[in-house]
Amino acid sequence: MAGDVRKIAEWQGGDVVEAVLESEAGVRLNVMNYGGVIRDWQVPVGGQMRSVVLGFDRFEDYPAHSPYFGALAGRVANRVGGSRFTLDCQEYELTPNEGPNHLHGGPGGISHRLWKLEPLVANALRLTLSSPDGDMGYPGSLDMEVIYRLDGYRLHIDFAAVASAPTPVNLVQHNYFNLMGGGEVFDHRLEVAASAYTVTDDALIPTGEIKPVAGTGFDFRHGHPMRDESGAPVILDQNLVLDTRRDPADPVACLVAPDGSLRLELFTDQPGLQVYNGGQMDIRVEGLGGRRYPRFGGMCLEDQHFPDAVNNPHFPDTIVTPEAPYRHRCAIEIRP
C-alpha cells in the first residue's frame, strides 16, 4: 500500500507533501507533490539498499539547485526553438528559459508546481494538476493526471491529459539514474533500440533532419559503455528515434551498472528517447545521503516525442485536442 502522506515543507503558500511506495521486492520510492518528483528510488542490492537516482534530502534544495531531478517536465518537455510556434494560423510565444528557447515547459512549468497527490491501493498514487489557458504561453487549459504504480522491481508511469483547445503536449518523467549510487556514469553499459537520431544545431534545436546512428557516437544498438573506441567519454544530450517495428513487450533501452550489480530496462509507447548523461550538471550542495554529485553523475532516459516537434510537421504530431486526449505509458524496471 502507498505509505501515509506527510508534510515535509511549505512552499509559495502551499504544503509540500511526500508519500512512500514500497513493493514486495523491497523497492522503495519517495514521491513529492512538488513537481511530481521521485525524490529517492532505493533497490536492495547484496543485502543493502542503494539509491539509484539523484536527489536531495532537503526540499529547499529542489527549487534552488535541481536540474529537474526526478521531476515531471512539460507541458512540452525538451526544447521549443525560438520559444514560438504556429497553430491553426496563429503564432504563440512561449516563455523562454534557455537563451531564446523554451525548455521543459518554461521557468514556471509543471516541474515547479504543487500537484495534488492521492495515495491509491496496490503501491500506487495519483498526481493531478490543472494548467490554465495561457500558462507559459500555451493555448487552452490542460488537466493532467500521472499515476505511479510500483510492482515488484518495476515502476509503471501512466500519463493522461485533457485539453480545452488544440495545444502541444509532451510530458516526461525526468529521473537521473546512477546504478552505482555515485560517481560518473560513462562506464554504465547503454543499449537503445534506435537506428536514427534527430540532428540538432549548437543550441540543441532540431534542424529537421533525421540521420542514421551508424558511424556516430549515438549508435547504442548493440550496447556498450558511453566511451568511444579510444576509451574517451562520449557526451550525450541527444534525441534518438526509436525503431517503429520493435516489439512493445521489449524494452527500448537498457542500462547496466559497470559491475553488473543492477540492470535498468525502460518500456514506452513514445517515438523518441532523449539520452543525456549530465554534462550540464553543476550541483553545489549535497545530494542524497550527503553525496556529492559530479558532472556526468547521472543518466537521463527521457521517453518522449521529438524536441521542437511543433515546428517540424514531419515529426510525430504532439498536438492534443479536446477530442483526442494525451496518453503516454512508460515502465522502468531496475533489478539485480
Side-chain angles (χ1 to χ4, degrees), residues 37 41 45 80 85 129 143 146 150 167 181 192 204 238 269 277 313:
V37 164
W41 184 332
V45 183
V80 177
F85 64 91
L129 180 70
D143 293 330
V146 180
L150 185 60
T167 191
V192 183
L204 300 177
Q238 183 64 52
D269 57 8
N277 55 12

Side-chain angles (χ1 to χ4, degrees), residues 265-316:
E265 294 184 339
L266 185 144
F267 305 79
T268 185
D269 57 8
Q270 298 298 285
L273 184 76
Q274 187 83 12
V275 291
Y276 169 56
N277 55 12
Q280 298 183 52
M281 284 177 54
D282 183 19
I283 310 302
R284 303 185 182 187
V285 296
E286 291 183 347
L288 295 170
R291 298 178 184 86
R292 288 288 181 175
Y293 297 138
R295 188 180 177 214
F296 303 109
M299 184 69 204
C300 298
L301 300 169
E302 305 161 50
D303 59 310
Q304 59 172 7
H305 273 66
F306 300 170
D308 204 30
V310 74
N311 289 313
N312 289 273
H314 58 293
F315 285 180

Side-chain angles (χ1 to χ4, degrees), residues 28-68:
R28 181 183 175 95
L29 268 71
N30 295 67
V31 181
M32 295 191 297
N33 67 328
Y34 173 80
V37 164
I38 296 176
R39 190 181 63 79
D40 197 1
W41 184 332
Q42 296 184 41
V43 179
V45 183
Q48 296 185 331
M49 299 298 288
R50 181 184 299 176
S51 292
V52 295
V53 295
L54 307 190
F56 300 112
D57 289 322
R58 303 188 315 162
F59 163 75
E60 53 265 35
D61 290 330
Y62 281 90
H65 302 289
S66 176
Y68 302 95

Side-chain angles (χ1 to χ4, degrees), residues 131-266:
S131 173
D133 181 23
D135 193 4
M136 295 288 110
Y138 288 102
S141 62
L142 189 70
D143 293 330
M144 292 164 281
E145 175 186 270
V146 180
I147 293 177
Y148 293 151
R149 179 170 59 86
L150 185 60
D151 180 15
Y153 291 99
R154 183 175 295 194
L155 175 67
H156 298 266
I157 309 173
D158 292 339
F159 303 80
V162 178
S164 66
T167 191
V169 179
N170 182 30
L171 305 181
V172 161
Q173 218 295 329
H174 203 296
N175 279 302
Y176 285 68
F177 297 103
N178 188 315
L179 301 183
M180 295 301 294
E184 295 178 342
V185 295
F186 293 119
D187 291 315
H188 284 60
R189 182 180 180 274
L190 176 65
E191 181 176 352
V192 183
S195 301
Y197 71 101
T198 50
V199 180
T200 60
D201 62 18
D202 291 343
L204 300 177
I205 304 300
T207 64
E209 190 175 7
I210 297 175
K211 284 187 173 182
V213 297
T216 75
F218 309 136
D219 189 352
F220 291 93
R221 290 174 294 174
H222 305 295
H224 58 82
M226 288 167 271
R227 296 185 182 274
D228 62 21
E229 293 181 355
S230 72
V234 173
I235 298 172
L236 296 172
D237 194 355
Q238 183 64 52
N239 175 65
L240 302 182
V241 178
L242 297 173
D243 294 340
T244 56
R245 295 184 180 180
R246 67 186 189 269
D247 187 334
D250 292 336
V252 300
C254 299
L255 189 70
V256 181
D259 65 354
S261 58
L262 285 176
R263 176 184 179 89
L264 179 155
E265 294 184 339
L266 185 144

